[in-house]
């Protein structure tokens, strides 16, 4: 987005056009209006309806790149709620978002802290953020156009009061738009900045890539760090490093957001080493009626076994683990994940299963697998089907016995 686009979108005429055509098809609208800035803004607002409903309702300005890099409002709200619960009420005066971007994270912080400073290095994005916060009625958020490094340096040099919480979401893209994966290549370089942040702030929270290895949080950020994984509707959205929060035994958290409900599951980091064993693997799944897939947050934090032990032990369902999945005789009342009823099990004999699928007119299947020697694409080829559709099969390796489970999704 260019400054001239911002001027068009915030003008009275631009706002009227957006409101008038908000539900129109952007592709057709492009030919009708011949106003690329307005057409693109309508396209982005339509995408915001689910991910950023408050920004949609307020008709905020939403550049595409900023949208793609922004947290969803649901994930940001769950994260902030969990963080502020661990902050004493008297220390919720000032939060700083060092990487403002679109402003979703600063907006959620502003609902829990008396004052928020949102730092943005790009002048146009800073201008957009100010305009958006005004539309959103976020009067306690101040936008500062500066780099994270310079802001931190000045805050320390001027001896300003300690910040209660600093939040950083380092950009994982270069100025040219190329994606990077290491902390050292992200901007700001948080590991270099962290010592100064620890001097000016009581607590620091770093949002990391969903691909980040949770065990690396403790190695890269030190023994006082704790880690959290946030999933939204079965998709891993965030890995967080939290520094400066009270030491507890529960320094590893899985936060699961499903159907608008937020659940938090706390563990000790020691499970990261114990979870690698397969001591709880069941030898047989013959009698099981249900196949259960714990939420991705448990797999990401390597706490599947710990989740069963700590949170499902009281359930009378004969729960056991095999091939990376859970099996049970009954469905647990409180289960964070997907539940399938097993219709039948068959040894992994591709030719036989292929004939079975053809006889039933099944040409597409969703192949689920963990610890199985063949990738999903290869399994689909061997079965003579394509990936996709509404039929689910699970491919498991249980005690070197390769099997395929045909299932029906029930939750």
């Amino acid at each position: 987005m260019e400054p001239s686009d911002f001027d068009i979108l915030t003008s009275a005429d631009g706002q009227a056009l957006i409101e008038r055509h908000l539900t129109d098809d952007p592709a057709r609208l492009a030919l009708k209006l011949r106003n690329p800035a307005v057409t693109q803004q309508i396209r982005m607002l339509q995408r915001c309806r689910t991910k950023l409903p408050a920004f949609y309702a307020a008709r905020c300005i939403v550049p595409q790149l900023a949208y793609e890099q922004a947290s969803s409002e649901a994930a940001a709200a769950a994260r902030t709620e969990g963080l502020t619960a661990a902050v004493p009420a008297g220390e919720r005066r000032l939060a700083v978002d060092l990487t403002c971007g679109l402003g979703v994270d600063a907006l959620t912080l502003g609902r829990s802290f008396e004052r928020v400073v949102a730092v943005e290095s790009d002048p146009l994005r800073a201008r957009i953020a100010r305009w958006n916060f005004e539309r959103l009625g976020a009067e306690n958020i101040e936008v500062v156009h500066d780099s994270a490094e310079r802001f931190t340096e000045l805050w320390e040099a001027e001896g300003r009061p300690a910040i209660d919480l600093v939040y950083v979401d380092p950009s994982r893209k270069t100025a040219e738009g190329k994606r990077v994966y290491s902390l050292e290549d992200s901007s700001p370089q948080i590991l270099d900045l962290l010592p100064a942040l620890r001097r000016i702030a009581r607590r620091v929270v770093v949002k990391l890539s969903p691909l980040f290895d949770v065990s690396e949080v403790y190695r890269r950020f030190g023994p006082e760090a704790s880690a959290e994984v946030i999933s939204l509707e079965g998709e891993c959205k965030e890995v967080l490093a939290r520094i400066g929060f009270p030491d507890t035994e529960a320094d590893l958290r899985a936060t699961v957001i499903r159907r608008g409900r937020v659940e938090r599951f706390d563990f000790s980091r020691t499970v990261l080493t114990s979870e690698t064993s397969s001591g709880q693997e069941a030898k047989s799944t013959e009698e099981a009626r249900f196949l259960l897939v714990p939420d991705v947050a448990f797999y990401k934090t390597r706490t599947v076994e710990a989740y069963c032990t700590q949170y499902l032990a009281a359930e009378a369902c004969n729960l056991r683990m095999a091939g990376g999945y859970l099996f049970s005789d009954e469905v647990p009342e409180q289960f964070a994940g997907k539940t399938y009823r097993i219709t039948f099990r068959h040894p992994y004999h591709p030719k036989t299963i292929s004939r079975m699928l053809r006889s039933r007119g099944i040409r597409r299947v969703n192949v689920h697998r963990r610890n199985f020697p063949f990738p999903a694409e290869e399994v689909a080829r061997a079965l003579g089907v394509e990936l996709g559709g509404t039929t689910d099969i699970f491919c498991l390796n249980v005690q070197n016995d390769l099997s395929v489970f045909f299932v029906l999704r029930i939750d």
Side-chain angles (χ1 to χ4, degrees):
M1 181 181 291
E2 299 298 326
S4 57
D5 295 328
F6 177 80
D7 293 336
I8 291 172
L9 296 176
T10 55
S11 67
D13 288 344
Q15 288 288 294
L17 279 174
I18 291 169
E19 197 64 36
R20 186 179 308 136
H21 298 286
L22 188 57
T23 59
D24 293 354
D25 179 1
R28 295 183 178 181
L29 197 59
L31 298 175
K32 179 180 179 180
L33 289 184
R34 300 199 179 276
N35 188 325
V38 170
T39 302
Q40 175 65 3
Q41 177 64 8
I42 290 172
R43 179 181 290 109
M44 296 311 303
L45 280 172
Q46 290 176 357
R47 293 177 65 184
C48 283
R49 293 192 68 167
T50 300
K51 180 179 178 180
L52 305 173
F55 281 69
Y56 172 83
R59 306 296 192 261
C60 292
I61 304 301
V62 184
Q64 181 170 336
L65 182 58
Y67 171 87
E68 293 171 352
Q69 294 176 338
S71 307
S72 70
E73 286 184 31
R79 178 211 315 129
T80 301
E81 180 182 314
L83 292 173
T84 52
V87 177
E91 296 181 7
R92 299 179 190 174
R93 297 184 181 89
L94 174 62
V96 172
D97 179 357
L98 278 180
T99 48
C100 175
L102 193 56
V104 179
D105 301 310
L107 181 67
T108 58
L109 286 169
R111 294 168 181 158
S112 298
F113 288 80
E114 294 177 16
R115 177 175 169 241
V116 175
V117 176
V119 182
E120 175 52 55
S121 60
D122 181 83
L124 179 56
R125 283 197 185 183
R127 189 179 174 194
I128 292 171
R130 290 191 190 97
W131 194 86
N132 284 346
F133 288 141
E134 183 177 344
R135 299 278 292 191
L136 290 160
E139 297 179 355
N140 63 333
I141 302 177
E142 174 190 359
V143 178
V144 174
H145 170 221
D146 208 343
S147 68
E149 295 86 353
R150 177 175 165 78
F151 177 88
T152 302
E153 180 183 351
L154 288 176
W155 194 280
E156 183 175 19
E158 295 173 3
R160 297 185 184 182
I163 301 168
D164 293 310
L165 185 144
V166 166
Y167 173 82
V168 194
D169 179 8
S171 173
R172 290 176 285 279
K173 284 190 176 181
T174 64
E176 296 75 29
K178 181 180 178 182
R179 184 168 294 279
V180 297
Y181 297 95
S182 71
L183 283 175
E184 288 77 8
D185 292 332
S186 300
S187 178
Q189 294 184 359
I190 187 60
L191 294 178
D192 292 340
L193 191 59
L194 189 58
L197 292 179
R198 295 297 288 119
R199 292 193 295 269
I200 68 171
R202 294 185 174 92
R203 301 163 192 85
V204 178
V205 179
V206 184
K207 178 182 171 183
L208 304 163
S209 165
L211 301 177
F212 197 86
D213 187 343
V214 171
S215 64
E216 285 290 288
V217 169
Y218 308 103
R219 189 179 73 84
R220 304 301 294 275
F221 293 93
E224 68 168 330
S226 58
E228 179 178 6
V229 168
I230 299 177
S231 71
L232 175 63
E233 304 302 339
E235 181 181 353
C236 180
K237 290 295 186 180
E238 301 182 4
V239 175
L240 300 177
R242 303 177 301 191
I243 304 101
F245 287 79
D247 292 332
T248 65
E249 289 298 317
D251 51 10
L252 176 61
R253 170 173 287 179
T255 296
V256 178
I257 309 171
R258 298 173 70 237
R259 300 169 186 168
R261 180 182 177 186
V262 180
E263 298 178 276
R264 297 180 177 87
F265 304 87
D266 289 333
F267 308 93
S268 168
R269 75 180 70 180
T270 57
V271 302
L272 287 171
T273 55
S274 63
E275 195 77 6
T276 57
S277 68
S278 57
Q280 296 189 28
E281 281 276 307
K283 293 183 179 180
S284 174
T285 59
E286 293 293 343
E287 304 301 323
R289 298 171 56 212
F290 300 97
L291 187 154
L292 312 177
V293 184
D295 187 85
V296 65
F298 300 115
Y299 286 107
K300 183 66 180 180
T301 53
R302 301 201 282 278
T303 56
V304 173
E305 291 180 11
Y307 168 57
C308 296
T309 302
Q310 293 181 216
Y311 292 93
L312 300 178
E315 300 274 4
C317 56
N318 191 18
L319 198 64
R320 60 269 199 198
M321 190 170 185
Y325 298 100
L326 299 179
F327 290 82
S328 68
D329 300 338
E330 300 294 338
V331 178
E333 289 186 13
Q334 302 296 329
F335 180 68
K338 298 177 182 177
T339 306
Y340 299 84
R341 183 186 299 277
I342 299 171
T343 55
F344 66 94
R345 170 184 177 174
H346 198 284
Y348 183 64
H349 298 155
K351 291 184 179 179
T352 303
I353 297 174
S354 178
R355 288 195 296 270
M356 188 186 310
L357 293 172
R358 285 200 304 272
S359 69
R360 299 185 180 191
I362 298 174
R363 296 290 181 263
R364 299 173 66 86
V365 299
N366 296 305
V367 178
H368 308 270
R369 54 172 292 282
R370 285 185 181 275
N371 307 323
F372 198 73
F374 311 114
E377 294 78 5
E378 186 174 336
V379 171
R381 284 196 299 270
L383 300 183
V385 295
E386 295 182 1
L387 293 175
T390 59
T391 301
D392 291 286
I393 64 172
F394 283 80
C395 300
L396 276 72
N397 179 2
V398 182
Q399 303 291 321
N400 295 319
D401 179 15
L402 303 186
S403 299
V404 176
F405 289 79
F406 288 78
V407 299
L408 292 176
R409 173 81 180 271
I410 61 175
D411 185 22

